[in-house]
Amino acid sequence: MSFESTAPGFSRRKLLRAGLAGAGALLVSGTAAGCGNPLASSSDPSALTVWDLFSGGDGMLMDEMISAVSGGSGRDAGFSVNRTILDWGASYYTKLAMSAAGGRASDVAALHLSRLAAYAPGGLLDPWDLDLLAEFGVTEENFAPAVWRRAQHDGTVYAIPLDTHPFIVFYDRQVADRAGLLDSSGALAPIDSPEAMIEAGEALAAETGRSGVLFGHVTDTSQNWRLFAGLYAQTGSTFGLPDGGEPQVDREAAVRVVSFLQRLFDGRTNPNNLDYASAMASFLGGRGGLYLSGAWELPTLRESGIDLGAAPLPTLFGEPAVYADSHAFVLPHQDNPDPERRREAHRYVAAILRQSLTWATAGHIPAYQPVLAEPEYAELEPQSSYASAMEVVVLDPPAWFTGAGSDFHSRMTQPLQTALLGGLSAERAVDRMIREADTLLSKPNPVG
C-alpha cells in the first residue's frame, strides 16, 4: 500500500499531521484481509471499503455481522463490503491517519473513542450526518450519554460508538459463595470501600488456599493505568490534560488510590508481581477467586468451565465509575466523497449497529441501547451482569497523545508498576505520573 505525494489534497503539512496523529508510531506493514485494492472505487455506492483492527474472535464476529447485512434486500441488507484488517495499535492508527491525510481513505473505519482527540481536530475525519443516520433509525437517544459525549469534538459528532469494553471484575461463583461474597440472587454483593475490598481478598484467599484477588500488570503497558483511572474517577476527581497547559490532577486523591492498591496487592494475600498471562492462568487454575481485567477476556474465561460471574468495577471511593474504551465507526476524510456512497456508509453503520447482539457474545457491551433491551441480551451471562457499567464509563482524558495503544498509557503505567512492586512510595509514583503528563503536554499539539 502506498500513499503517493500526488494524491489529491496531499501536502507536506497533511503528511506531518497524519504522522503525528499516530502518536509517533512508525508506518510499518501490517497484515490485511480482504480482496482487491481497499481504496478502489466502485460504481455501486453499496460497495463499501471498511478498515478495522478486529482479528481473532472479534474478527470472526465482525465477519458474521457483515455477512448478515450483505446480500438480500430491505433496510439492513444489500451491501458488498471490502473489509481490510490491519494490525492493532499504533501501526493501525498511523495508517489510518496517512490515508485520511491523502484524501483517499476507506469509506468507513474503526477507531477507539479514546483516540478521537488526535484525529477530529486536524481534519482527518469527516463528521457524521445525524439527520441521515436518523433516517436509518439511529439517533442520539440510542446511546448512553457518557459514551455519546466522547463521540464528539467541539459539539460535532465524528464517531458512532459500536460498543463499550470496560475494565471489570470476574469471579469464581463457587469460591465467592463459600467466602460469603454473593447476594441472595447469586451475584457479587456490593463491595463499597477500600477496606471491604481488602477483606474480600482475605476471604477469597482463605477459600482458595492461595490468593484472593488477581491482577496482571508486570510488563503490560496499560493495565495499571486502566485500574488506577477507574478508581481515581471514583473519588470524584478528574485527570485533566488541557492542551498547552499543566496537568490538572488531584494529587491527594491519586495518592489515596495508589496507597490502596499497594495495600490490596501486598504480595501475600494478593500477589503483586503477576504479568497479564500469569494472572489469567492463576484464575483459570483456581489459585484466586476474583480477577481484575477487561471485558474482552470473557470468551477465554468462559471456555475454562469455571462457574464464571462478572460485575462492574466495585465502587470503592464513593462515586460509581468504570474505566473503559469504545470501538466506534468513523468516516476518514475524503477530498471528494461521493454523496450516494457516503449515504450508503451511514446506512451500513446503522445496519451493523442492529447486529450488535452478535458482537455482545465477545463480552463487549453494545453501545446501541435498543439491543440491550432485547430479551436475548438479558439471557447472555455474565454479559448482562455488567451492562450497567456503560452508564458510568470513564475514558482516557481527551488529548492528542492519549488513547488505546498510546505512549501515554506506558508512561502512566511504569511508575504505578514500580509502586506495586515496592520500588516507589505512592507519593513518588503519583509525582512521577504528573511529571510524565506534564512532559507530554509541553509538546505542541500537531493537529491543534
Side-chain angles (χ1 to χ4, degrees):
M1 182 180 301
S2 64
F3 301 99
E4 301 175 5
S5 59
T6 55
F10 197 85
S11 65
R12 184 175 181 274
R13 178 173 294 180
K14 279 191 174 183
L15 174 63
L16 176 61
R17 181 178 67 205
L20 292 175
L26 295 175
L27 183 59
V28 297
S29 60
T31 59
C35 301
N37 180 1
L39 300 179
S41 63
S42 170
S43 59
D44 179 2
S46 296
L48 301 173
T49 58
V50 177
W51 280 17
D52 66 50
L53 33 58
F54 305 130
S55 59
D58 281 356
M60 295 173 65
L61 290 175
M62 183 54 64
D63 280 338
E64 183 178 340
M65 294 160 70
I66 291 174
S67 178
V69 302
S70 298
S73 61
R75 180 176 66 169
D76 289 353
F79 299 99
S80 175
V81 178
N82 186 332
R83 178 180 175 225
T84 297
I85 308 169
L86 298 166
D87 286 339
W88 189 96
S91 171
Y92 174 80
Y93 283 108
T94 300
K95 291 180 180 182
L96 178 62
M98 293 290 286
S99 69
R104 300 173 60 245
S106 60
D107 295 304
V108 178
L111 182 100
H112 286 87
L113 279 188
S114 61
R115 283 278 191 166
L116 191 65
Y119 285 76
L124 297 175
L125 303 177
D126 292 335
W128 289 89
D129 185 330
L130 299 188
D131 291 336
L132 194 52
L133 278 173
E135 181 180 335
F136 299 124
V138 174
T139 66
E140 175 183 348
E141 287 70 30
N142 297 142
F143 300 89
V147 178
W148 188 253
R149 281 194 298 269
R150 290 302 300 266
Q152 303 175 56
H153 173 72
D154 284 347
T156 299
V157 175
Y158 284 94
I160 303 300
L162 170 64
D163 67 38
T164 296
H165 41 280
F167 193 88
I168 63 174
V169 297
F170 295 100
Y171 57 94
D172 185 319
R173 292 183 191 274
Q174 296 183 21
V175 174
D177 187 24
R178 296 196 301 270
L181 298 179
L182 301 186
D183 62 20
S184 58
S185 69
L188 189 68
I191 301 174
D192 57 7
S193 70
E195 290 301 329
M197 188 67 173
I198 290 172
E199 291 172 2
E202 292 171 348
L204 291 167
E207 292 302 324
T208 65
R210 297 290 295 274
S211 301
V213 180
L214 301 170
F215 173 54
H217 68 100
V218 176
T219 73
D220 189 275
T221 58
S222 294
Q223 284 290 84
N224 273 307
W225 167 251
R226 290 166 177 153
L227 179 55
F228 166 85
L231 294 175
Y232 174 78
Q234 291 182 3
T235 69
S237 304
T238 59
F239 202 103
L241 298 174
D243 193 12
E246 297 181 351
Q248 298 174 351
V249 181
D250 185 332
R251 182 179 182 274
E252 181 180 352
V255 169
R256 283 176 58 206
V257 171
V258 178
S259 297
F260 159 69
L261 292 176
Q262 289 177 316
R263 291 175 59 207
L264 181 65
F265 301 111
D266 57 3
R268 298 183 298 276
T269 302
N270 308 309
N272 65 348
N273 60 351
L274 300 179
D275 62 20
Y276 196 103
S278 59
M280 181 182 290
S282 293
F283 182 67
L284 295 177
R287 297 188 294 278
L290 189 147
Y291 173 47
L292 296 165
S293 195
W296 52 87
E297 293 298 351
L298 176 59
T300 299
L301 298 176
R302 190 167 46 198
E303 290 177 2
S304 68
I306 289 176
D307 187 4
L308 186 68
L313 186 69
T315 302
L316 305 181
F317 290 93
E319 185 170 315
V322 176
Y323 178 83
D325 208 333
S326 291
H327 296 117
F329 293 113
V330 294
L331 300 170
H333 174 68
Q334 294 183 5
D335 287 335
N336 297 294
D338 176 79
E340 286 303 312
R341 198 178 184 92
R342 187 52 65 87
R343 177 183 177 85
E344 285 295 273
H346 284 67
R347 185 171 75 89
Y348 167 77
V349 167
I352 288 291
L353 291 179
R354 281 187 280 273
Q355 294 292 325
S356 52
L357 183 64
T358 298
W359 195 241
T361 62
H364 311 296
I365 306 172
Y368 185 63
Q369 293 194 305
V371 170
L372 300 182
E374 295 179 9
E376 294 84 354
Y377 185 78
E379 295 172 1
L380 290 179
E381 282 292 343
Q383 290 95 315
S384 58
S385 300
Y386 57 82
S388 61
M390 178 176 285
E391 303 295 332
V392 293
V393 295
V394 177
L395 278 67
D396 278 5
W400 67 267
F401 51 79
T402 62
S406 67
D407 186 47
F408 172 77
H409 277 204
S410 178
R411 288 176 180 242
M412 296 298 102
T413 286
Q414 288 174 1
L416 288 168
Q417 175 180 293
T418 305
L420 291 192
L421 292 174
L424 278 179
S425 67
E427 291 80 5
R428 290 183 61 193
V430 170
D431 288 341
R432 185 175 296 181
M433 292 170 69
I434 294 173
R435 287 198 302 272
E436 292 287 355
D438 190 51
T439 297
L440 290 169
L441 283 169
S442 68
K443 299 179 180 180
N445 183 345
V447 297

